[in-house]
Short mmCIF file of all heavy atoms in Angstrom, two decimals:
data_model
loop_
_atom_site.label_atom_id
_atom_site.label_comp_id
_atom_site.label_asym_id
_atom_site.label_seq_id
_atom_site.Cartn_x
_atom_site.Cartn_y
_atom_site.Cartn_z
N PHE A 32 -16.68 -47.86 -29.26
CA PHE A 32 -15.81 -47.22 -28.28
C PHE A 32 -14.41 -47.78 -28.43
O PHE A 32 -14.21 -48.98 -28.55
CB PHE A 32 -16.27 -47.52 -26.85
CG PHE A 32 -17.33 -46.59 -26.35
CD1 PHE A 32 -18.46 -46.35 -27.10
CD2 PHE A 32 -17.18 -45.97 -25.12
CE1 PHE A 32 -19.45 -45.51 -26.63
CE2 PHE A 32 -18.16 -45.13 -24.65
CZ PHE A 32 -19.30 -44.91 -25.42
N SER A 33 -13.40 -46.93 -28.39
CA SER A 33 -12.04 -47.39 -28.19
C SER A 33 -11.80 -47.48 -26.70
O SER A 33 -12.66 -47.15 -25.90
CB SER A 33 -11.05 -46.40 -28.81
OG SER A 33 -11.05 -45.20 -28.08
N ARG A 34 -10.59 -47.91 -26.31
CA ARG A 34 -10.27 -48.06 -24.90
C ARG A 34 -10.31 -46.73 -24.18
O ARG A 34 -10.59 -46.69 -22.98
CB ARG A 34 -8.89 -48.71 -24.76
CG ARG A 34 -8.48 -49.00 -23.32
CD ARG A 34 -7.11 -49.63 -23.30
NE ARG A 34 -6.70 -49.92 -21.95
CZ ARG A 34 -6.97 -51.01 -21.30
NH1 ARG A 34 -7.73 -51.93 -21.86
NH2 ARG A 34 -6.56 -51.21 -20.06
N ARG A 35 -10.05 -45.62 -24.85
CA ARG A 35 -9.90 -44.35 -24.15
C ARG A 35 -10.78 -43.27 -24.78
O ARG A 35 -10.36 -42.12 -24.94
CB ARG A 35 -8.43 -43.92 -24.18
CG ARG A 35 -7.49 -44.98 -23.64
CD ARG A 35 -6.03 -44.58 -23.85
NE ARG A 35 -5.68 -43.42 -23.05
CZ ARG A 35 -5.30 -43.48 -21.80
NH1 ARG A 35 -5.25 -44.63 -21.17
NH2 ARG A 35 -4.98 -42.39 -21.13
N ALA A 36 -11.99 -43.62 -25.17
CA ALA A 36 -12.87 -42.61 -25.77
C ALA A 36 -14.29 -42.79 -25.32
O ALA A 36 -14.74 -43.88 -25.05
CB ALA A 36 -12.80 -42.69 -27.29
N PHE A 37 -15.02 -41.71 -25.20
CA PHE A 37 -16.44 -41.72 -24.89
C PHE A 37 -17.20 -41.10 -26.07
O PHE A 37 -16.65 -40.28 -26.81
CB PHE A 37 -16.75 -40.88 -23.64
CG PHE A 37 -16.61 -41.62 -22.37
CD1 PHE A 37 -15.37 -41.86 -21.82
CD2 PHE A 37 -17.74 -42.10 -21.71
CE1 PHE A 37 -15.24 -42.55 -20.64
CE2 PHE A 37 -17.61 -42.77 -20.53
CZ PHE A 37 -16.36 -43.00 -20.00
N VAL A 38 -18.44 -41.47 -26.20
CA VAL A 38 -19.29 -40.84 -27.18
C VAL A 38 -20.10 -39.75 -26.50
O VAL A 38 -20.75 -40.01 -25.51
CB VAL A 38 -20.26 -41.87 -27.81
CG1 VAL A 38 -21.25 -41.17 -28.73
CG2 VAL A 38 -19.47 -42.92 -28.58
N LEU A 39 -20.03 -38.55 -27.02
CA LEU A 39 -20.84 -37.45 -26.50
C LEU A 39 -21.97 -37.20 -27.49
O LEU A 39 -21.75 -37.17 -28.70
CB LEU A 39 -20.01 -36.18 -26.33
CG LEU A 39 -18.79 -36.28 -25.41
CD1 LEU A 39 -18.13 -34.92 -25.29
CD2 LEU A 39 -19.18 -36.81 -24.04
N VAL A 40 -23.17 -37.02 -26.98
CA VAL A 40 -24.33 -36.82 -27.84
C VAL A 40 -24.93 -35.46 -27.55
O VAL A 40 -25.24 -35.16 -26.42
CB VAL A 40 -25.38 -37.93 -27.60
CG1 VAL A 40 -26.59 -37.70 -28.50
CG2 VAL A 40 -24.77 -39.29 -27.84
N SER A 41 -25.07 -34.62 -28.56
CA SER A 41 -25.63 -33.29 -28.35
C SER A 41 -26.41 -32.89 -29.58
O SER A 41 -25.85 -32.88 -30.68
CB SER A 41 -24.53 -32.28 -28.07
OG SER A 41 -25.05 -30.98 -27.93
N SER A 42 -27.68 -32.54 -29.40
CA SER A 42 -28.55 -32.09 -30.48
C SER A 42 -28.58 -33.08 -31.63
O SER A 42 -28.56 -32.71 -32.80
CB SER A 42 -28.11 -30.71 -30.99
OG SER A 42 -28.12 -29.77 -29.94
N GLY A 43 -28.62 -34.36 -31.29
CA GLY A 43 -28.75 -35.40 -32.30
C GLY A 43 -27.46 -35.72 -33.02
O GLY A 43 -27.44 -36.53 -33.93
N MET A 44 -26.34 -35.05 -32.68
CA MET A 44 -25.06 -35.31 -33.34
C MET A 44 -24.17 -36.11 -32.42
O MET A 44 -24.17 -35.94 -31.21
CB MET A 44 -24.39 -33.97 -33.67
CG MET A 44 -25.18 -33.11 -34.64
SD MET A 44 -24.34 -31.55 -34.98
CE MET A 44 -22.83 -32.17 -35.71
#
Side-chain angles (χ1 to χ4, degrees):
F32 275 51
S33 69
R34 184 180 180 87
R35 306 173 67 85
F37 274 78
V38 174
L39 302 183
V40 180
S41 178
S42 302
M44 298 179 61

